[in-house]
Amino acid sequence: MKTLRFFTVILFLILSFTAFSQDFEVSPVLMSFNADPGEIQKQALSIINHTGRPQKYILKLSDYTVDREGNKKNVAIGANKHSCIDWITISPSLIELNPNQTASVDIIMTVPKDGFSTRWCMIGVQAVEEHSAAEVDKTLSSVVLIVPRIVVLVKQSPKSNRNYKANISNLKEVTKAGEKFRTFEVLITNTGDNIIDASVSLALADMQSAKEEKFPAEKVTVYPEASRVVRLKIPKDIAKGKYALAAILDYGHRQPLEGTQMMLEVK
């Protein structure tokens, strides 16, 4: 009986175009397609073998969702109605590279005629090694060892899809005892049909002097029909008085700024 042992390291490097494991490199780690319904687009995924021996790599599609904290979670294929797995072809899906060799894999997006909405999925790139029985268990004839995995996020939204819409709500203080800052929480909800990369910031206005202070923004990605909780901080050493605290959402695409506010009294 064969035994499978899995040592998986998932690297979600959204802000980087290249991801490294100990033994190989994949680029890019975010593939964005904008094919209109009925259109086919192709992009290249680069894999580099940094080991000193020939190495096989397998590429597998999977689905994921994102929770309110921004954590990506694997779900069963087909469980996410926004999946684009059925639209993707990987060629080849299994390759072997010599030491320091680079290969290019074609990722082909074929959008059906009714594919007007934004979709997403991910590609796991895994290094696969075969070991003899003596290396693992003398009672086994062979074993397959799957070593570190790099995840590539794939997004598809038609060029014609201009449905960007989001709102901000539920501003409240969540400061905990012992914290050096005052912490506030706000909810960003994507009510449109595009993935948005938003900027969320706080502005504090003195009710007596009308003087306003703005604080550094946080960046957040929100998927369609999903919400994200964002936590923002302001200093604790604010002068006594009454203030209006506003949370401001800017998600670009020529959309107006969204905001919500609360009253804050510093005693």
Side-chain angles (χ1 to χ4, degrees):
M1 177 179 179
K2 294 185 178 181
T3 301
L4 296 179
R5 298 177 61 190
F6 298 91
F7 297 91
T8 303
V9 176
I10 300 178
L11 305 177
F12 283 110
L13 302 179
I14 306 304
L15 299 180
S16 173
F17 290 98
T18 303
F20 300 87
S21 76
Q22 183 177 357
D23 298 322
F24 69 104
E25 176 183 342
V26 173
S27 178
V29 291
L30 173 60
M31 307 188 81
S32 295
F33 293 85
N34 62 353
D36 279 326
E39 187 179 353
I40 299 174
Q41 288 185 351
K42 180 173 70 174
Q43 294 187 28
L45 187 66
S46 176
I47 304 173
I48 303 176
N49 176 15
H50 289 302
T51 70
R53 63 187 186 281
Q55 180 68 65
K56 291 181 180 179
Y57 300 92
I58 187 169
L59 291 84
K60 293 183 178 181
L61 289 162
S62 59
D63 277 326
Y64 72 94
T65 58
V66 184
D67 65 20
R68 288 161 65 104
E69 300 294 326
N71 302 308
K72 296 175 178 64
K73 297 183 178 180
N74 285 284
V75 296
I77 291 178
N80 179 13
K81 67 178 183 179
H82 298 284
S83 172
C84 59
I85 278 183
D86 292 340
W87 300 356
I88 294 178
T89 302
I90 301 174
S91 180
S93 60
L94 177 65
I95 59 172
E96 183 172 0
L97 300 181
N98 290 321
N100 299 313
Q101 183 181 3
T102 300
S104 181
V105 176
D106 288 334
I107 309 300
I108 303 167
M109 179 71 68
T110 304
V111 180
K113 293 182 178 180
D114 60 351
F116 294 95
S117 63
T118 295
R119 301 292 187 101
W120 59 87
C121 68
M122 60 186 175
I123 301 170
V125 184
Q126 297 176 329
V128 182
E129 296 183 353
E130 293 185 359
H131 289 258
S132 66
E135 294 178 282
V136 183
D137 190 326
K138 293 182 179 180
T139 64
L140 303 177
S141 59
S142 65
V143 66
V144 175
L145 175 66
I146 299 182
V147 292
R149 178 169 76 126
I150 292 175
V151 169
V152 178
L153 300 185
V154 181
K155 304 175 183 179
Q156 153 61 24
S157 186
K159 293 185 290 289
S160 56
N161 184 358
R162 305 302 302 169
N163 184 4
Y164 292 93
K165 188 64 177 176
N167 61 58
I168 184 169
S169 61
N170 297 355
L171 177 61
K172 60 183 179 181
E173 185 167 8
V174 292
T175 305
K176 296 180 180 179
E179 286 190 331
K180 296 181 180 180
F181 295 87
R182 296 189 72 161
T183 305
F184 297 83
E185 187 176 277
V186 72
L187 185 69
I188 311 299
T189 302
N190 186 341
T191 58
D193 188 45
N194 272 292
I195 298 171
I196 62 170
D197 295 307
S199 175
V200 188
S201 60
L202 290 176
L204 189 67
D206 189 313
M207 297 296 291
Q208 184 173 356
S209 66
K211 181 180 178 181
E212 183 178 279
E213 183 177 3
K214 295 182 179 180
F215 300 93
E218 293 287 336
K219 302 295 184 180
V220 60
T221 298
V222 191
Y223 285 65
E225 298 184 11
S227 297
R228 283 286 304 273
V229 172
V230 181
R231 293 177 180 85
L232 305 163
K233 299 179 183 296
I234 64 173
K236 275 191 172 181
D237 57 349
I238 299 171
K240 294 181 181 180
K242 293 183 178 181
Y243 298 85
L245 181 67
I248 302 166
L249 170 67
D250 181 358
Y251 56 98
H253 302 286
R254 299 183 179 179
Q255 298 299 313
L257 299 179
E258 300 282 342
T260 183
Q261 71 173 26
M262 63 178 287
M263 302 308 298
L264 183 65
E265 183 174 5
V266 180
K267 299 179 180 181

